[in-house]
Amino acid sequence: IKGDMEILGSGNVNKAYKGVYKMSDGSSFAGVFKAEKKEFPIGKYPYSAYFSGIPNAIAGGRNIASYALNDLLGFNVITRVEFGMNKEEKLGIVMEMAQGKSGKKTEKELFNDPVVRRELTKLQWLDSLTGQVDRHSENYFIETDADGHGKRVIGIDNDLSFGHKIKDPNHISIKHNGNFRGREMPPVIDTEMVEAFMKLTPEKLETSLSGLLDDKEIDAAKKRLTGIQKHIDDLSKAGCVISQDQWGSEKVEELLSDKTKSYVARDQEYAKPKATVDIQQS
């Protein structure tokens, strides 16, 4: 860590700090540090943690495990995260700074962008695998290019993932438990995502998660993978596997219109039109 750190934000369990870290090769990057905590603060044990099977506040392994599966699938929708320390040499995690705007602050029209549709749906598929029960519209960012088109969707804050009670990927949904923020598995997937999931085996999954999670959590992740692969097979039979160039189509718009099964529909409903956003900013 180089220099001082500044408070970036505060949640129910932990504070996030922004700092500049020097890497072993001499380069530097701005990262977000969250200290590792063994227990949840008194009176702040999240219901979602209890119902999903997360017994303690230790979140480093869960965050790094989320990034490991993101990397294994080649999805690039989770912030890079590693173990690190702050100025007081407290152990925690250091995450890359997400670029762009949170989903909550993104203009309504941008959710129609093919890249945003694809990447946000890809994040939803990953959350189904990791058992992430806290993916609300402030837990991901949408980055745009110079012309305002979608460039990347990046998920942050994966503390509440890999609960051992979540064995069915659909059970991260708010329909399953009112304390959860997730949705049922998406109703559409493209061929590249299909290939990534179908190449993933329980053995590869265990190798990536070993040392980060316990046996019950890894076993639950294997069961979620089986459920995802079955759902993909059902989508294939229903003609809902598309090519990468079809995310802007009317067919996809219709498939993603159910907010109980789509982050896109869920968060677009509450987003403001661009004109409204521009007036507020001015």
Short mmCIF file of all heavy atoms in Angstrom, two decimals, residues 150-213:
data_model
loop_
_atom_site.label_atom_id
_atom_site.label_comp_id
_atom_site.label_asym_id
_atom_site.label_seq_id
_atom_site.Cartn_x
_atom_site.Cartn_y
_atom_site.Cartn_z
N GLY A 150 -22.65 0.15 -24.60
CA GLY A 150 -22.19 -0.76 -23.58
C GLY A 150 -20.84 -1.36 -23.89
O GLY A 150 -20.56 -1.75 -25.02
N LYS A 151 -19.98 -1.42 -22.87
CA LYS A 151 -18.63 -1.97 -23.04
C LYS A 151 -18.39 -3.16 -22.12
O LYS A 151 -17.86 -4.18 -22.53
CB LYS A 151 -17.60 -0.88 -22.75
CG LYS A 151 -16.16 -1.32 -22.89
CD LYS A 151 -15.21 -0.15 -22.59
CE LYS A 151 -13.74 -0.57 -22.68
NZ LYS A 151 -12.84 0.57 -22.36
N ARG A 152 -18.80 -3.03 -20.84
CA ARG A 152 -18.55 -4.09 -19.88
C ARG A 152 -19.52 -3.98 -18.71
O ARG A 152 -19.93 -2.89 -18.33
CB ARG A 152 -17.11 -4.00 -19.36
CG ARG A 152 -16.68 -5.15 -18.48
CD ARG A 152 -15.30 -4.92 -17.88
NE ARG A 152 -14.88 -6.06 -17.06
CZ ARG A 152 -13.87 -6.04 -16.20
NH1 ARG A 152 -13.17 -4.93 -16.02
NH2 ARG A 152 -13.55 -7.11 -15.50
N VAL A 153 -19.91 -5.13 -18.17
CA VAL A 153 -20.65 -5.19 -16.91
C VAL A 153 -19.76 -5.91 -15.91
O VAL A 153 -19.19 -6.96 -16.22
CB VAL A 153 -21.99 -5.94 -17.07
CG1 VAL A 153 -22.63 -6.18 -15.71
CG2 VAL A 153 -22.94 -5.16 -17.98
N ILE A 154 -19.63 -5.34 -14.71
CA ILE A 154 -18.69 -5.90 -13.74
C ILE A 154 -19.34 -6.00 -12.37
O ILE A 154 -19.84 -5.01 -11.83
CB ILE A 154 -17.40 -5.06 -13.68
CG1 ILE A 154 -16.32 -5.73 -12.85
CG2 ILE A 154 -17.66 -3.65 -13.24
CD1 ILE A 154 -15.58 -6.81 -13.57
N GLY A 155 -19.40 -7.19 -11.80
CA GLY A 155 -20.00 -7.41 -10.50
C GLY A 155 -19.02 -7.16 -9.37
O GLY A 155 -17.83 -7.47 -9.48
N ILE A 156 -19.50 -6.57 -8.29
CA ILE A 156 -18.68 -6.30 -7.12
C ILE A 156 -19.33 -6.95 -5.89
O ILE A 156 -20.47 -7.41 -5.95
CB ILE A 156 -18.50 -4.79 -6.88
CG1 ILE A 156 -19.85 -4.12 -6.57
CG2 ILE A 156 -17.86 -4.12 -8.09
CD1 ILE A 156 -19.75 -2.68 -6.09
N ASP A 157 -18.60 -6.97 -4.77
CA ASP A 157 -19.16 -7.34 -3.47
C ASP A 157 -19.85 -8.71 -3.50
O ASP A 157 -21.07 -8.81 -3.47
CB ASP A 157 -20.14 -6.27 -3.00
CG ASP A 157 -20.46 -6.41 -1.51
OD1 ASP A 157 -19.88 -7.30 -0.86
OD2 ASP A 157 -21.31 -5.66 -1.01
N ASN A 158 -19.03 -9.76 -3.52
CA ASN A 158 -19.55 -11.12 -3.58
C ASN A 158 -19.47 -11.83 -2.23
O ASN A 158 -19.25 -13.04 -2.16
CB ASN A 158 -18.79 -11.90 -4.66
CG ASN A 158 -19.00 -11.29 -6.03
OD1 ASN A 158 -20.07 -11.43 -6.62
ND2 ASN A 158 -18.00 -10.58 -6.55
N ASP A 159 -19.64 -11.05 -1.15
CA ASP A 159 -19.55 -11.60 0.20
C ASP A 159 -20.59 -12.69 0.46
O ASP A 159 -20.32 -13.67 1.16
CB ASP A 159 -19.75 -10.49 1.25
CG ASP A 159 -18.67 -9.43 1.19
OD1 ASP A 159 -17.78 -9.52 0.33
OD2 ASP A 159 -18.72 -8.48 2.01
N LEU A 160 -21.81 -12.50 -0.07
CA LEU A 160 -22.92 -13.41 0.24
C LEU A 160 -23.13 -14.41 -0.89
O LEU A 160 -24.20 -14.50 -1.49
CB LEU A 160 -24.19 -12.62 0.53
CG LEU A 160 -24.11 -11.70 1.75
CD1 LEU A 160 -25.42 -10.97 1.98
CD2 LEU A 160 -23.73 -12.48 3.01
N SER A 161 -22.09 -15.15 -1.18
CA SER A 161 -22.15 -16.20 -2.19
C SER A 161 -21.69 -17.52 -1.57
O SER A 161 -21.12 -17.53 -0.48
CB SER A 161 -21.27 -15.84 -3.39
OG SER A 161 -19.94 -15.59 -2.98
N PHE A 162 -21.99 -18.61 -2.25
CA PHE A 162 -21.54 -19.96 -1.85
C PHE A 162 -22.11 -20.45 -0.53
O PHE A 162 -21.48 -21.23 0.17
CB PHE A 162 -20.01 -20.04 -1.82
CG PHE A 162 -19.38 -19.90 -3.18
CD1 PHE A 162 -18.81 -18.69 -3.56
CD2 PHE A 162 -19.37 -20.95 -4.06
CE1 PHE A 162 -18.23 -18.55 -4.83
CE2 PHE A 162 -18.80 -20.83 -5.32
CZ PHE A 162 -18.23 -19.63 -5.71
N GLY A 163 -23.32 -20.01 -0.18
CA GLY A 163 -23.98 -20.59 0.99
C GLY A 163 -24.27 -22.07 0.75
O GLY A 163 -24.75 -22.44 -0.33
N HIS A 164 -24.02 -22.90 1.75
CA HIS A 164 -24.14 -24.35 1.52
C HIS A 164 -25.58 -24.84 1.43
O HIS A 164 -25.83 -25.97 1.00
CB HIS A 164 -23.40 -25.12 2.63
CG HIS A 164 -24.04 -25.02 3.98
ND1 HIS A 164 -25.05 -25.86 4.40
CD2 HIS A 164 -23.81 -24.17 5.02
CE1 HIS A 164 -25.40 -25.54 5.62
NE2 HIS A 164 -24.68 -24.52 6.03
N LYS A 165 -26.54 -23.99 1.81
CA LYS A 165 -27.95 -24.39 1.72
C LYS A 165 -28.51 -24.19 0.31
O LYS A 165 -29.59 -24.71 0.01
CB LYS A 165 -28.79 -23.58 2.72
CG LYS A 165 -28.49 -23.88 4.18
CD LYS A 165 -29.38 -23.04 5.09
CE LYS A 165 -29.06 -23.29 6.56
NZ LYS A 165 -29.91 -22.44 7.44
N ILE A 166 -27.82 -23.45 -0.54
CA ILE A 166 -28.31 -23.18 -1.89
C ILE A 166 -27.78 -24.27 -2.82
O ILE A 166 -26.67 -24.19 -3.35
CB ILE A 166 -27.86 -21.79 -2.39
CG1 ILE A 166 -28.26 -20.71 -1.40
CG2 ILE A 166 -28.45 -21.51 -3.78
CD1 ILE A 166 -29.74 -20.48 -1.30
N LYS A 167 -28.60 -25.29 -3.03
CA LYS A 167 -28.20 -26.40 -3.89
C LYS A 167 -28.87 -26.34 -5.26
O LYS A 167 -28.40 -26.93 -6.23
CB LYS A 167 -28.52 -27.74 -3.21
CG LYS A 167 -27.76 -27.94 -1.90
CD LYS A 167 -28.14 -29.26 -1.24
CE LYS A 167 -27.28 -29.53 -0.01
NZ LYS A 167 -27.50 -28.55 1.06
N ASP A 168 -29.98 -25.63 -5.35
CA ASP A 168 -30.69 -25.40 -6.61
C ASP A 168 -30.36 -23.99 -7.08
O ASP A 168 -30.57 -23.03 -6.33
CB ASP A 168 -32.20 -25.55 -6.37
CG ASP A 168 -33.04 -25.40 -7.63
OD1 ASP A 168 -32.63 -24.65 -8.56
OD2 ASP A 168 -34.11 -26.01 -7.69
N PRO A 169 -29.84 -23.81 -8.31
CA PRO A 169 -29.47 -22.47 -8.76
C PRO A 169 -30.63 -21.48 -8.80
O PRO A 169 -30.41 -20.27 -8.71
CB PRO A 169 -28.89 -22.71 -10.16
CG PRO A 169 -29.37 -24.06 -10.57
CD PRO A 169 -29.53 -24.84 -9.31
N ASN A 170 -31.86 -21.99 -8.90
CA ASN A 170 -33.02 -21.09 -8.88
C ASN A 170 -33.30 -20.54 -7.49
O ASN A 170 -34.07 -19.59 -7.34
CB ASN A 170 -34.26 -21.81 -9.39
CG ASN A 170 -34.29 -21.91 -10.91
OD1 ASN A 170 -33.91 -20.97 -11.60
ND2 ASN A 170 -34.73 -23.05 -11.42
N HIS A 171 -32.68 -21.11 -6.47
CA HIS A 171 -33.00 -20.72 -5.10
C HIS A 171 -32.27 -19.48 -4.61
O HIS A 171 -32.36 -19.14 -3.43
CB HIS A 171 -32.78 -21.90 -4.16
CG HIS A 171 -33.83 -22.97 -4.29
ND1 HIS A 171 -33.81 -24.14 -3.58
CD2 HIS A 171 -34.93 -23.03 -5.10
CE1 HIS A 171 -34.86 -24.88 -3.92
NE2 HIS A 171 -35.54 -24.23 -4.84
N ILE A 172 -31.52 -18.81 -5.49
CA ILE A 172 -31.00 -17.49 -5.13
C ILE A 172 -32.08 -16.42 -5.35
O ILE A 172 -31.89 -15.27 -5.03
CB ILE A 172 -29.75 -17.11 -5.95
CG1 ILE A 172 -30.09 -16.95 -7.43
CG2 ILE A 172 -28.64 -18.13 -5.75
CD1 ILE A 172 -28.96 -16.35 -8.27
N SER A 173 -33.21 -16.85 -5.88
CA SER A 173 -34.27 -15.92 -6.29
C SER A 173 -35.06 -15.37 -5.11
O SER A 173 -35.29 -16.04 -4.11
CB SER A 173 -35.23 -16.64 -7.24
OG SER A 173 -36.37 -15.86 -7.50
N ILE A 174 -35.50 -14.14 -5.28
CA ILE A 174 -36.37 -13.49 -4.29
C ILE A 174 -37.69 -14.25 -4.17
O ILE A 174 -38.35 -14.22 -3.13
CB ILE A 174 -36.61 -12.02 -4.67
CG1 ILE A 174 -37.25 -11.25 -3.52
CG2 ILE A 174 -37.45 -11.91 -5.96
CD1 ILE A 174 -37.31 -9.76 -3.76
N LYS A 175 -38.08 -14.98 -5.23
CA LYS A 175 -39.30 -15.79 -5.18
C LYS A 175 -39.14 -16.95 -4.20
O LYS A 175 -40.09 -17.39 -3.56
CB LYS A 175 -39.63 -16.34 -6.57
CG LYS A 175 -40.20 -15.31 -7.53
CD LYS A 175 -40.41 -15.92 -8.90
CE LYS A 175 -41.44 -17.03 -8.88
NZ LYS A 175 -41.68 -17.57 -10.25
N HIS A 176 -37.91 -17.46 -4.08
CA HIS A 176 -37.65 -18.57 -3.17
C HIS A 176 -37.57 -18.08 -1.73
O HIS A 176 -38.04 -18.76 -0.81
CB HIS A 176 -36.34 -19.26 -3.56
CG HIS A 176 -35.94 -20.36 -2.63
ND1 HIS A 176 -36.62 -21.57 -2.55
CD2 HIS A 176 -34.93 -20.45 -1.73
CE1 HIS A 176 -36.05 -22.34 -1.64
NE2 HIS A 176 -35.03 -21.69 -1.12
N ASN A 177 -36.97 -16.90 -1.54
CA ASN A 177 -36.83 -16.33 -0.21
C ASN A 177 -36.81 -14.82 -0.33
O ASN A 177 -36.00 -14.25 -1.05
CB ASN A 177 -35.53 -16.84 0.45
CG ASN A 177 -35.40 -16.40 1.90
OD1 ASN A 177 -35.35 -15.21 2.20
ND2 ASN A 177 -35.36 -17.35 2.81
N GLY A 178 -37.70 -14.15 0.37
CA GLY A 178 -37.84 -12.71 0.26
C GLY A 178 -36.63 -11.91 0.68
O GLY A 178 -36.56 -10.71 0.41
N ASN A 179 -35.67 -12.56 1.35
CA ASN A 179 -34.45 -11.86 1.76
C ASN A 179 -33.36 -11.90 0.69
O ASN A 179 -32.34 -11.25 0.83
CB ASN A 179 -33.90 -12.49 3.05
CG ASN A 179 -34.86 -12.36 4.21
OD1 ASN A 179 -35.03 -11.28 4.75
ND2 ASN A 179 -35.50 -13.45 4.58
N PHE A 180 -33.57 -12.70 -0.36
CA PHE A 180 -32.58 -12.83 -1.41
C PHE A 180 -32.81 -11.79 -2.50
O PHE A 180 -33.94 -11.38 -2.76
CB PHE A 180 -32.61 -14.23 -2.02
CG PHE A 180 -32.24 -15.34 -1.07
CD1 PHE A 180 -32.50 -16.67 -1.38
CD2 PHE A 180 -31.63 -15.07 0.15
CE1 PHE A 180 -32.16 -17.69 -0.50
CE2 PHE A 180 -31.28 -16.08 1.03
CZ PHE A 180 -31.56 -17.40 0.70
N ARG A 181 -31.75 -11.39 -3.19
CA ARG A 181 -31.84 -10.36 -4.23
C ARG A 181 -31.71 -10.95 -5.64
O ARG A 181 -31.81 -10.22 -6.62
CB ARG A 181 -30.71 -9.34 -4.05
CG ARG A 181 -30.62 -8.72 -2.65
CD ARG A 181 -31.74 -7.78 -2.35
NE ARG A 181 -31.51 -7.06 -1.11
CZ ARG A 181 -30.91 -5.88 -1.02
NH1 ARG A 181 -30.47 -5.28 -2.11
NH2 ARG A 181 -30.73 -5.30 0.14
N GLY A 182 -31.43 -12.26 -5.75
CA GLY A 182 -31.20 -12.86 -7.05
C GLY A 182 -32.49 -13.13 -7.83
O GLY A 182 -33.59 -12.74 -7.41
N ARG A 183 -32.34 -13.78 -8.95
CA ARG A 183 -33.45 -14.16 -9.80
C ARG A 183 -33.29 -15.61 -10.24
O ARG A 183 -32.22 -16.20 -10.12
CB ARG A 183 -33.54 -13.24 -11.04
CG ARG A 183 -33.95 -11.80 -10.70
CD ARG A 183 -35.33 -11.77 -10.08
NE ARG A 183 -35.84 -10.43 -9.80
CZ ARG A 183 -35.77 -9.81 -8.64
NH1 ARG A 183 -35.13 -10.39 -7.63
NH2 ARG A 183 -36.30 -8.63 -8.46
N GLU A 184 -34.37 -16.21 -10.74
CA GLU A 184 -34.26 -17.55 -11.29
C GLU A 184 -33.33 -17.55 -12.50
O GLU A 184 -33.02 -16.48 -13.05
CB GLU A 184 -35.65 -18.07 -11.68
CG GLU A 184 -36.57 -18.27 -10.48
CD GLU A 184 -37.93 -18.79 -10.90
OE1 GLU A 184 -38.15 -19.01 -12.11
OE2 GLU A 184 -38.79 -18.99 -10.01
N MET A 185 -32.90 -18.72 -12.92
CA MET A 185 -31.97 -18.79 -14.04
C MET A 185 -32.54 -18.11 -15.28
O MET A 185 -33.76 -18.16 -15.53
CB MET A 185 -31.63 -20.25 -14.35
CG MET A 185 -30.67 -20.86 -13.36
SD MET A 185 -30.19 -22.56 -13.81
CE MET A 185 -31.69 -23.45 -13.36
N PRO A 186 -31.68 -17.46 -16.07
CA PRO A 186 -32.16 -16.73 -17.25
C PRO A 186 -32.85 -17.64 -18.27
O PRO A 186 -32.55 -18.84 -18.36
CB PRO A 186 -30.87 -16.16 -17.84
CG PRO A 186 -29.91 -16.11 -16.70
CD PRO A 186 -30.24 -17.30 -15.85
N PRO A 187 -33.75 -17.06 -19.06
CA PRO A 187 -34.49 -17.83 -20.07
C PRO A 187 -33.78 -17.87 -21.43
O PRO A 187 -34.36 -18.34 -22.40
CB PRO A 187 -35.81 -17.08 -20.17
CG PRO A 187 -35.43 -15.65 -19.90
CD PRO A 187 -34.30 -15.69 -18.91
N VAL A 188 -32.56 -17.39 -21.48
CA VAL A 188 -31.82 -17.35 -22.75
C VAL A 188 -30.33 -17.43 -22.46
O VAL A 188 -29.86 -16.98 -21.40
CB VAL A 188 -32.16 -16.07 -23.56
CG1 VAL A 188 -31.74 -14.82 -22.81
CG2 VAL A 188 -31.56 -16.10 -24.94
N ILE A 189 -29.59 -18.00 -23.41
CA ILE A 189 -28.14 -18.13 -23.28
C ILE A 189 -27.56 -18.20 -24.69
O ILE A 189 -28.24 -18.64 -25.62
CB ILE A 189 -27.77 -19.40 -22.47
CG1 ILE A 189 -26.29 -19.39 -22.08
CG2 ILE A 189 -28.17 -20.67 -23.21
CD1 ILE A 189 -25.93 -20.48 -21.06
N ASP A 190 -26.31 -17.75 -24.87
CA ASP A 190 -25.72 -17.86 -26.21
C ASP A 190 -24.75 -19.03 -26.27
O ASP A 190 -24.39 -19.63 -25.26
CB ASP A 190 -25.10 -16.54 -26.67
CG ASP A 190 -23.86 -16.12 -25.91
OD1 ASP A 190 -23.09 -16.98 -25.46
OD2 ASP A 190 -23.64 -14.89 -25.78
N THR A 191 -24.33 -19.35 -27.47
CA THR A 191 -23.55 -20.57 -27.71
C THR A 191 -22.20 -20.54 -27.00
O THR A 191 -21.71 -21.58 -26.56
CB THR A 191 -23.32 -20.77 -29.21
OG1 THR A 191 -22.79 -19.56 -29.78
CG2 THR A 191 -24.63 -21.09 -29.92
N GLU A 192 -21.59 -19.36 -26.87
CA GLU A 192 -20.30 -19.27 -26.19
C GLU A 192 -20.43 -19.60 -24.71
O GLU A 192 -19.59 -20.30 -24.13
CB GLU A 192 -19.70 -17.88 -26.37
CG GLU A 192 -18.29 -17.74 -25.80
CD GLU A 192 -17.73 -16.35 -26.00
OE1 GLU A 192 -17.15 -16.09 -27.08
OE2 GLU A 192 -17.88 -15.52 -25.09
N MET A 193 -21.50 -19.09 -24.08
CA MET A 193 -21.74 -19.39 -22.67
C MET A 193 -22.07 -20.87 -22.48
O MET A 193 -21.64 -21.49 -21.50
CB MET A 193 -22.90 -18.53 -22.14
CG MET A 193 -22.66 -17.03 -22.18
SD MET A 193 -24.13 -16.17 -21.54
CE MET A 193 -24.01 -14.62 -22.43
N VAL A 194 -22.83 -21.43 -23.42
CA VAL A 194 -23.16 -22.86 -23.35
C VAL A 194 -21.89 -23.69 -23.35
O VAL A 194 -21.71 -24.60 -22.53
CB VAL A 194 -24.06 -23.27 -24.54
CG1 VAL A 194 -24.18 -24.79 -24.60
CG2 VAL A 194 -25.44 -22.65 -24.41
N GLU A 195 -20.98 -23.38 -24.26
CA GLU A 195 -19.73 -24.13 -24.35
C GLU A 195 -18.95 -24.04 -23.04
O GLU A 195 -18.39 -25.04 -22.57
CB GLU A 195 -18.89 -23.60 -25.51
CG GLU A 195 -17.59 -24.38 -25.71
CD GLU A 195 -16.76 -23.85 -26.86
OE1 GLU A 195 -17.14 -22.81 -27.46
OE2 GLU A 195 -15.73 -24.46 -27.17
N ALA A 196 -18.90 -22.85 -22.44
CA ALA A 196 -18.16 -22.65 -21.20
C ALA A 196 -18.74 -23.50 -20.07
O ALA A 196 -18.00 -24.16 -19.33
CB ALA A 196 -18.17 -21.18 -20.81
N PHE A 197 -20.07 -23.52 -19.95
CA PHE A 197 -20.69 -24.29 -18.88
C PHE A 197 -20.60 -25.79 -19.12
O PHE A 197 -20.41 -26.57 -18.18
CB PHE A 197 -22.16 -23.88 -18.70
CG PHE A 197 -22.36 -22.73 -17.77
CD1 PHE A 197 -22.87 -21.52 -18.23
CD2 PHE A 197 -22.07 -22.85 -16.42
CE1 PHE A 197 -23.06 -20.45 -17.37
CE2 PHE A 197 -22.27 -21.78 -15.55
CZ PHE A 197 -22.76 -20.58 -16.03
N MET A 198 -20.74 -26.21 -20.37
CA MET A 198 -20.73 -27.64 -20.66
C MET A 198 -19.33 -28.24 -20.55
O MET A 198 -19.18 -29.44 -20.36
CB MET A 198 -21.35 -27.90 -22.03
CG MET A 198 -22.84 -27.64 -22.08
SD MET A 198 -23.73 -28.44 -20.68
CE MET A 198 -25.43 -28.15 -21.13
N LYS A 199 -18.30 -27.43 -20.66
CA LYS A 199 -16.93 -27.92 -20.49
C LYS A 199 -16.54 -27.99 -19.02
O LYS A 199 -15.55 -28.64 -18.66
CB LYS A 199 -15.94 -27.00 -21.22
CG LYS A 199 -15.96 -27.14 -22.73
CD LYS A 199 -14.72 -26.54 -23.37
CE LYS A 199 -14.50 -25.10 -23.00
NZ LYS A 199 -13.37 -24.49 -23.73
N LEU A 200 -17.34 -27.34 -18.16
CA LEU A 200 -17.03 -27.30 -16.74
C LEU A 200 -17.51 -28.59 -16.08
O LEU A 200 -18.67 -28.97 -16.18
CB LEU A 200 -17.71 -26.09 -16.09
CG LEU A 200 -17.40 -25.80 -14.64
CD1 LEU A 200 -15.91 -25.67 -14.40
CD2 LEU A 200 -18.12 -24.53 -14.19
N THR A 201 -16.60 -29.27 -15.40
CA THR A 201 -16.93 -30.52 -14.71
C THR A 201 -16.88 -30.31 -13.20
O THR A 201 -16.26 -29.36 -12.72
CB THR A 201 -15.92 -31.62 -15.08
OG1 THR A 201 -14.61 -31.24 -14.60
CG2 THR A 201 -15.86 -31.84 -16.58
N PRO A 202 -17.54 -31.21 -12.44
CA PRO A 202 -17.45 -31.11 -10.98
C PRO A 202 -16.01 -31.16 -10.48
O PRO A 202 -15.67 -30.49 -9.49
CB PRO A 202 -18.25 -32.33 -10.50
CG PRO A 202 -19.22 -32.59 -11.61
CD PRO A 202 -18.49 -32.25 -12.87
N GLU A 203 -15.16 -31.92 -11.17
CA GLU A 203 -13.76 -32.03 -10.76
C GLU A 203 -13.03 -30.70 -10.95
O GLU A 203 -12.26 -30.26 -10.08
CB GLU A 203 -13.06 -33.13 -11.56
CG GLU A 203 -13.54 -34.53 -11.26
CD GLU A 203 -14.91 -34.86 -11.86
OE1 GLU A 203 -15.30 -34.20 -12.85
OE2 GLU A 203 -15.60 -35.75 -11.32
N LYS A 204 -13.24 -30.04 -12.09
CA LYS A 204 -12.63 -28.73 -12.33
C LYS A 204 -13.14 -27.70 -11.33
O LYS A 204 -12.38 -26.85 -10.85
CB LYS A 204 -12.92 -28.26 -13.76
CG LYS A 204 -12.21 -29.04 -14.85
CD LYS A 204 -12.58 -28.49 -16.22
CE LYS A 204 -11.89 -29.27 -17.34
NZ LYS A 204 -12.31 -28.77 -18.68
N LEU A 205 -14.42 -27.79 -11.03
CA LEU A 205 -15.03 -26.88 -10.06
C LEU A 205 -14.36 -27.04 -8.70
O LEU A 205 -13.97 -26.05 -8.06
CB LEU A 205 -16.53 -27.17 -9.96
CG LEU A 205 -17.42 -26.14 -9.27
CD1 LEU A 205 -17.57 -24.91 -10.12
CD2 LEU A 205 -18.78 -26.74 -8.96
N GLU A 206 -14.22 -28.27 -8.25
CA GLU A 206 -13.61 -28.53 -6.95
C GLU A 206 -12.17 -28.06 -6.90
O GLU A 206 -11.73 -27.49 -5.89
CB GLU A 206 -13.68 -30.02 -6.63
CG GLU A 206 -13.14 -30.36 -5.25
CD GLU A 206 -13.43 -31.78 -4.83
OE1 GLU A 206 -14.10 -32.51 -5.59
OE2 GLU A 206 -12.99 -32.17 -3.74
N THR A 207 -11.42 -28.27 -7.98
CA THR A 207 -10.03 -27.83 -8.02
C THR A 207 -9.92 -26.32 -7.86
O THR A 207 -9.05 -25.81 -7.14
CB THR A 207 -9.37 -28.26 -9.35
OG1 THR A 207 -9.39 -29.68 -9.43
CG2 THR A 207 -7.93 -27.77 -9.42
N SER A 208 -10.82 -25.56 -8.50
CA SER A 208 -10.80 -24.10 -8.42
C SER A 208 -11.19 -23.58 -7.05
O SER A 208 -10.72 -22.52 -6.62
CB SER A 208 -11.73 -23.50 -9.47
OG SER A 208 -11.23 -23.69 -10.77
N LEU A 209 -12.06 -24.31 -6.35
CA LEU A 209 -12.60 -23.83 -5.08
C LEU A 209 -11.88 -24.38 -3.86
O LEU A 209 -12.06 -23.88 -2.75
CB LEU A 209 -14.09 -24.18 -4.99
CG LEU A 209 -14.99 -23.61 -6.10
CD1 LEU A 209 -16.43 -24.08 -5.90
CD2 LEU A 209 -14.91 -22.11 -6.16
N SER A 210 -11.09 -25.41 -4.06
CA SER A 210 -10.41 -26.05 -2.94
C SER A 210 -9.48 -25.07 -2.23
O SER A 210 -8.72 -24.34 -2.84
CB SER A 210 -9.59 -27.24 -3.45
OG SER A 210 -8.93 -27.90 -2.40
N GLY A 211 -9.57 -25.04 -0.90
CA GLY A 211 -8.77 -24.14 -0.09
C GLY A 211 -9.43 -22.80 0.16
O GLY A 211 -8.99 -22.04 1.03
N LEU A 212 -10.49 -22.51 -0.60
CA LEU A 212 -11.21 -21.25 -0.42
C LEU A 212 -12.53 -21.46 0.31
O LEU A 212 -13.00 -20.58 1.03
CB LEU A 212 -11.49 -20.60 -1.79
CG LEU A 212 -10.26 -20.19 -2.60
CD1 LEU A 212 -10.67 -19.81 -4.03
CD2 LEU A 212 -9.55 -19.01 -1.93
N LEU A 213 -13.14 -22.64 0.10
CA LEU A 213 -14.43 -22.97 0.68
C LEU A 213 -14.35 -24.32 1.37
O LEU A 213 -13.42 -25.10 1.12
CB LEU A 213 -15.51 -23.02 -0.41
CG LEU A 213 -15.66 -21.78 -1.29
CD1 LEU A 213 -16.63 -22.07 -2.44
CD2 LEU A 213 -16.15 -20.59 -0.48
#
